[in-house]
Amino acid sequence: MAGGQTVTIQGTGFDVYNSTSVRVSTKTAVTTRSWCNVTKVTTTNLTCVTNPVPKAICGNVTNVTCSVSIWVTPSDGSEFAASTLGTYTYDPSLTPVITSVSPIRGSTEGRTLITITGGNLGPAAASPAPTAAAAAVGRKLMRQPPWAHGMIGNLFVDPGSSSDRFLQQAAAASSGPISVSIGGVQCNNVVQRDANTITCETGKPSGAGGAKPQGPLPVVLTVDGKGAATNGSSQVAYEYVDLWSRRTTWGGLEPPIANDSVVIPAGTTVMLDVSPPQLYTLLIEGSLFVDPTADFIHLQVNYILLRGGTLRAGKCLSEPHPGKFTITLWGDKDTARRLPTFGAKVLANLDGTIQLFGAPTAVPSWTQLNATADIGATSIVVNGMVNWQAGNTIAIASSSFDAREVDTATITSITQQANKTSLIQLSSPLQYTHLGVLRTYAGDPRQNVLDMRAEVIVLERNIVIQGDPTTSSTMFGGHVMSTWSKSPWASYPTMQLSNVELRQMGQAFQMGRYPVHFHMMGDTSFTSWVANCSIHHTWNRGVTIHGTHQVHVRHTTAFVTTGHTFFLEDGVEYGNIFEGNCGFLTQVSNGMLITDNNPATFWMTNPNNTLIGNHAGGSLEGFGFWYHLDDNPGGASKTYSICPKYETMGVFKNNLAHSNQFYGLRIHPEYYQQSCPCCGQWNLTPARFEGLIGYKNGVNCVVATQTGCCQHKFADQHGKYHEGRG
C-alpha cells in the first residue's frame, strides 16, 4: 500500500539514451499518473519502484485491496502502449506496517539502537520466474537509434496467475535485506528479530554546511518483495537531537558544570532534558528546545542571550509545553556586569526567537465575582467554568476606594455549578468585602448597568520566569528584552509568550529593565504577543512596548506592579492591541518618570492603539487609564513627523476602572484629534472614548484637561450615564 516495491518489466525498444523519458503510469478516463519510478533501463528490461496506492483511483482507503491498470511509455514522444500490462493490486495483507519506534529520539552522532515494531515485517518468500513474455508494437517512437524496433514488453504469467501477481513475483525473486532510513539517512546493522520487530543503529546525518536536521523525521522501512511499510494510526517519526544530558552533545566531555558559560552554535539544536547546575552565561545562536517529556526543568543562569537563535518550550499554541519549566535569572545588584543594551540578570533576544507556550491551566486568566463575598468568607462564586487547580493562588481586587483592600488566598477545591459558575473554596477567610453585583438605578431612563463585580485572577502558570531569591530585598529582578539589530543579514526578532508567569521581575529605578520589554523592534505585524500571562510582584512596570508596533497583549494579568504597568514608552508606538487584560494594586515608583509618582495601570503615549475590554482595578496614588500625549515622541524615537496629541484615535471601548486614587481615565495634558496630525492645520475630528465604566475612583471617573472634539459614553461611580462631546 505504501509502494517501494521493485518491479522489473521485460520487452524491447526501451530508450536507453534518454532513460528519463521512459515512464510507467496508471491511466484513468481523465488523468495519467506516475505509478512506478524508473530506476534502470536496458533495451529489453526496465526496473522501477512503485509509488504508494494512487488515491485518485483508490481513494483514501488503505485497508482494502485496489487494482490499477498499468501503462508504459517506452520513449519520449511515444504514446502509451497499445495494450496494458494488465493490473497491479495493492493488497494490505501483503503490506508491511510499522506502528512505533523506540526510543523516539537520539544523538545527531548516530549509533543509537532503535527498535521498530509493527506487523508483516519479514521478507517475502521467493517465487518462480514468469514462464513467458511477448511483445506488442508501440507507436510514434521518437529519437530512437536505427536498430531499435519500438517494442514494449507486455508481461504474461503462469496459467492460473494474475498479471498483478506476476509483477510482485518479479520483485520477490531477488529478495534481500530489510532497509530502514530516517529522513533519508540509512540505518546500519538492520536485524529482523521476528516478524513484527526490527532493530538497527541510526546513521549520522549530515546536512549542507554541517547543519543538523531539526524536528521529527519519518521512519521509512522497506522489505524486499513487499515494498515500503505503511504507518499505523499515526506517523512514526524519529528525531535527531542533541540532548543536554549526553556526552556526545559536548564532544565526548561531561555536560556543563556550575558557573560554566555555554554556547549553542548556529545550526545546532540542543534539547534541554535535565535541570543543569547554575550557569553563568548561555549564548544561543542555534536552538534550545525544552524537553516536552520532562516533568520539571529548572534553568538557572545569570545571562541568556539569543543571537539569532531560538529558545522554545512547547511546539505552538495548540501544542503547549506540558511539564513545568522555570527560568531563574541570577545577579547581584552591585557586582553584576552589565551587557551593552541588555544589562544584567536578563533573558535577552537579539534578532532571535523566544517562544514559550505554557499549558492552558489558567482559563480564563481572570474572571469576576458572581456574588458578593463578605469579610470572613471562606468561599467565593465566580463567573464561568474555570479550570483552575487546587493549590493555585488567587487575588481578588478591591471593591472600595482603597486599592489596597485586596485579598489573596490558596484554592482548596473547585466545584463547577449548573448555572455556569464556579464555587471556589479558600484556604483562609477574606479580610475585606468584595462586591459581586450589577447595579441599576431607579429613574434611569436608559436602564444602564453598572458592573461592580470584583475581578479575580489566578497567579500560577506551568512556565515561570523569575528573579533569584534576593530580588524581594534588593528590588533587582530579572528582565526579558527583545530587540532588533537592523543589520542587513539579521533575522527579524520574535517574542511569543503564552501562559507564562513572570514574578520578581524588573529592576527598580533602572530604565529599560522591565519584566517584558519589546524594544525598538519596529513593526512586528502581530508576530509577537503576550497572551494569558501572569505578571506579579514586579519592581519596574509590567509590559513595555518601546519603538515597536502591532504587538498583541491579551488576557494578561498584572498584580502588585511598580510604576506604569501596561506601558507605551516614547509616543511613536502605534497599532498595538491591549485586549481583555486586568491589572490592580499598581504601586508608586519614585525613581523613574515623574509621572510614575502617580502611576497608571494603562499608560498610553499615542492614541493610535486599541484598548478593548481591559480592567484597571486599583492604582495607589494614580489612575486606571492615562492618555499622556505630547507634541512629538521623545527618547530614542524622537521625531517631528509624528504628533501624538493630534493623532487619530484608535479604539477605546468597554474598559472599566475602579478603586484608583484619582481618576479612572485621565486625558492629559492635551488631545486634539486632527485629520492631518502634523500639518499645522486646525481641522478637528471626533475622537471616541466609548463604553467606559468607572466606580469608586477617588476623585471621579474621567478627567480631560484640554481636549478638542471628544465623544464619550460612560457610567460613573454615582450610577450616572454620560454621553456627549466636548
Side-chain angles (χ1 to χ4, degrees):
M1 305 300 285
Q5 188 177 47
T6 301
V7 173
T8 300
I9 299 175
Q10 298 173 350
T12 61
F14 299 122
D15 190 346
V16 296
Y17 294 95
N18 185 19
S19 60
T20 58
S21 69
V22 181
R23 300 187 300 278
V24 183
S25 308
T26 61
K27 189 174 183 180
T28 68
V30 294
T31 61
T32 299
R33 299 177 183 274
S34 173
W35 168 70
C36 200
N37 298 316
V38 176
T39 58
K40 183 179 180 180
V41 179
T42 70
T43 57
T44 58
N45 290 276
L46 70 83
T47 303
C48 65
V49 178
T50 60
N51 288 320
V53 57
K55 294 182 179 179
I57 299 174
C58 300
N60 291 318
V61 179
T62 59
N63 59 353
V64 296
T65 59
C66 176
S67 297
V68 295
S69 299
I70 308 305
W71 299 68
V72 174
T73 304
S75 65
D76 190 19
S78 69
E79 293 184 357
F80 285 89
S83 60
T84 73
L85 295 178
T87 59
Y88 178 93
T89 299
Y90 288 91
D91 188 344
S93 68
L94 302 175
T95 302
V97 178
I98 56 175
T99 56
S100 66
V101 59
S102 179
I104 60 173
R105 64 191 184 198
S107 172
T108 58
E109 295 297 313
R111 301 190 68 182
T112 300
L113 182 66
I114 62 173
T115 299
I116 301 169
T117 56
N120 200 19
L121 300 183
S127 301
T131 59
V137 178
R139 295 175 293 169
K140 296 184 181 178
L141 298 181
M142 300 176 64
R143 295 191 300 186
Q144 293 292 313
W147 56 86
H149 301 290
M151 309 297 287
I152 304 173
N154 190 9
L155 302 182
F156 293 89
V157 298
D158 294 316
S161 299
S162 64
S163 59
D164 60 286
R165 193 67 188 155
F166 170 80
L167 294 176
Q168 296 176 15
Q169 292 167 350
S174 58
S175 59
I178 298 168
S179 66
V180 178
S181 66
I182 299 172
V185 179
Q186 289 295 321
C187 277
N188 304 312
N189 302 323
V190 179
V191 177
Q192 181 184 356
R193 301 297 178 181
D194 54 48
N196 302 319
T197 308
I198 303 292
T199 62
C200 65
E201 280 189 356
T202 60
K204 180 178 179 179
S206 57
K212 299 178 180 180
Q214 295 189 15
L217 300 171
V219 176
V220 178
L221 185 147
T222 303
V223 180
D224 276 9
K226 293 182 178 179
T230 62
N231 285 269
S233 58
S234 60
Q235 178 71 36
V236 177
Y238 177 88
E239 186 172 11
Y240 284 104
V241 64
D242 291 314
L243 295 179
W244 188 286
S245 62
R246 283 192 179 141
R247 296 173 63 101
T248 54
T249 302
W250 311 104
L253 302 176
E254 291 290 337
I257 61 175
N259 297 315
D260 271 357
S261 289
V262 177
V263 178
I264 299 176
T268 297
T269 297
V270 175
M271 181 76 74
L272 185 62
D273 63 323
V274 294
S275 298
Q278 183 181 330
L279 306 172
Y280 185 69
T281 302
L282 176 57
L283 174 62
I284 304 173
E285 295 176 329
S287 298
L288 180 65
F289 296 162
V290 182
D291 185 357
T293 68
D295 293 332
F296 176 62
I297 298 289
H298 191 185
L299 177 59
Q300 304 184 74
V301 61
N302 291 48
Y303 309 87
I304 303 176
L305 175 60
L306 279 68
R307 190 161 60 188
T310 298
L311 173 64
R312 180 185 300 161
K315 187 175 181 180
C316 57
L317 286 172
S318 60
E319 297 183 45
H321 183 68
K324 293 184 177 181
F325 173 50
T326 297
I327 297 174
T328 299
L329 298 169
W330 287 80
D332 181 78
K333 178 181 178 181
D334 299 318
T335 62
R337 295 182 177 180
R338 270 66 169 176
L339 299 176
T341 304
F342 297 113
K345 212 168 182 177
V346 61
L347 167 52
N349 178 26
L350 177 65
D351 305 330
T353 300
I354 297 175
Q355 294 177 314
L356 301 179
F357 304 118
T361 56
V363 179
S365 58
W366 63 278
T367 183
Q368 292 173 274
L369 290 178
N370 184 264
T372 296
D374 293 318
I375 295 174
T378 56
S379 66
I380 59 174
V381 179
V382 300
N383 293 324
M385 311 286 275
V386 301
N387 74 343
W388 308 347
Q389 304 296 315
N392 285 160
T393 303
I394 62 168
I396 310 173
S398 172
S399 287
S400 75
F401 287 94
D402 188 347
R404 293 169 295 186
E405 292 191 357
V406 167
D407 270 297
T408 58
T410 301
I411 297 173
T412 59
S413 68
I414 298 179
T415 303
Q416 310 290 353
Q417 303 193 121
N419 62 349
K420 295 184 179 180
T421 62
S422 299
L423 173 64
I424 301 178
Q425 301 291 337
L426 306 176
S427 60
S428 56
L430 300 180
Q431 300 181 45
Y432 305 101
T433 295
H434 302 275
L435 299 179
V437 297
L438 297 171
R439 182 163 293 176
T440 58
Y441 291 84
D444 179 5
R446 297 176 179 271
Q447 292 297 304
N448 293 295
V449 176
L450 182 61
D451 187 348
M452 300 179 69
R453 298 171 298 180
E455 298 83 4
V456 184
I457 68 173
V458 60
L459 302 186
E460 286 83 5
R461 304 290 190 273
N462 69 317
I463 295 180
V464 177
I465 306 175
Q466 64 183 5
D468 64 37
T470 68
T471 300
S472 58
S473 59
T474 62
M475 298 186 291
F476 186 73
H479 69 108
V480 180
M481 184 177 184
S482 181
T483 192
W484 183 26
S485 70
K486 298 182 175 63
S487 298
W489 56 83
S491 57
Y492 188 79
T494 299
M495 182 158 65
Q496 299 170 348
L497 305 178
S498 174
N499 291 294
V500 176
E501 177 185 354
L502 298 106
R503 62 194 185 206
Q504 296 298 333
M505 298 287 285
Q507 297 171 6
F509 319 131
Q510 297 191 34
M511 297 293 289
R513 306 296 179 247
Y514 314 122
V516 179
H517 186 187
F518 298 91
H519 179 72
M520 308 303 291
M521 289 173 59
D523 190 344
T524 77
S525 298
F526 299 114
T527 58
S528 289
W529 65 74
V530 180
N532 215 64
C533 291
S534 169
I535 304 170
H536 63 94
H537 297 91
T538 71
W539 300 101
N540 196 356
R541 313 205 185 290
V543 177
T544 293
I545 299 176
H546 181 197
T548 305
H549 322 296
Q550 298 200 106
V551 173
H552 198 176
V553 182
R554 59 188 183 270
H555 308 304
T556 289
T557 60
F559 173 59
V560 192
T561 55
T562 305
H564 304 308
T565 298
F566 295 96
F567 180 75
L568 299 183
E569 189 155 340
D570 285 344
V572 72
E573 300 83 11
Y574 67 84
N576 299 289
I577 298 176
F578 297 87
E579 180 181 10
N581 304 292
C582 178
F584 56 91
L585 202 50
T586 304
Q587 302 182 118
V588 172
S589 175
N590 294 315
M592 293 294 291
L593 302 177
I594 294 176
T595 56
D596 281 302
N597 291 315
N598 305 110
T601 303
F602 294 84
W603 165 271
M604 300 290 112
T605 55
N606 188 311
N608 190 14
N609 292 276
T610 295
L611 284 81
I612 298 176
N614 302 286
H615 285 216
S619 172
L620 299 175
E621 301 185 32
F623 311 92
F625 301 87
W626 186 348
Y627 279 75
H628 188 284
L629 310 176
D630 291 327
D631 289 351
N632 302 107
S637 305
K638 187 174 181 63
T639 179
Y640 295 101
S641 63
I642 297 175
C643 304
K645 78 175 183 180
Y646 303 115
E647 285 290 338
T648 300
M649 184 74 184
V651 177
F652 183 95
K653 189 173 183 179
N654 297 339
N655 299 293
L656 187 149
H658 68 90
S659 305
N660 298 287
Q661 182 158 341
F662 294 115
Y663 298 95
L665 167 64
R666 187 187 198 196
I667 305 170
H668 176 82
E670 297 175 293
Y671 184 34
Y672 303 94
Q673 177 175 284
Q674 300 195 30
S675 58
C676 184
C678 296
C679 294
Q681 301 174 356
W682 200 252
N683 184 14
L684 296 180
T685 58
R688 296 174 62 88
F689 292 82
E690 185 174 355
L692 175 68
I693 292 176
Y695 66 91
K696 294 193 176 180
N697 296 291
V699 179
N700 213 326
C701 179
V702 177
V703 62
T705 307
Q706 296 185 58
T707 60
C709 187
C710 289
Q711 295 179 344
H712 57 267
K713 294 181 181 180
F714 62 88
D716 69 13
Q717 57 233 53
H718 306 295
K720 294 182 179 180
Y721 182 81
H722 301 265
E723 180 175 355
R725 64 177 63 196

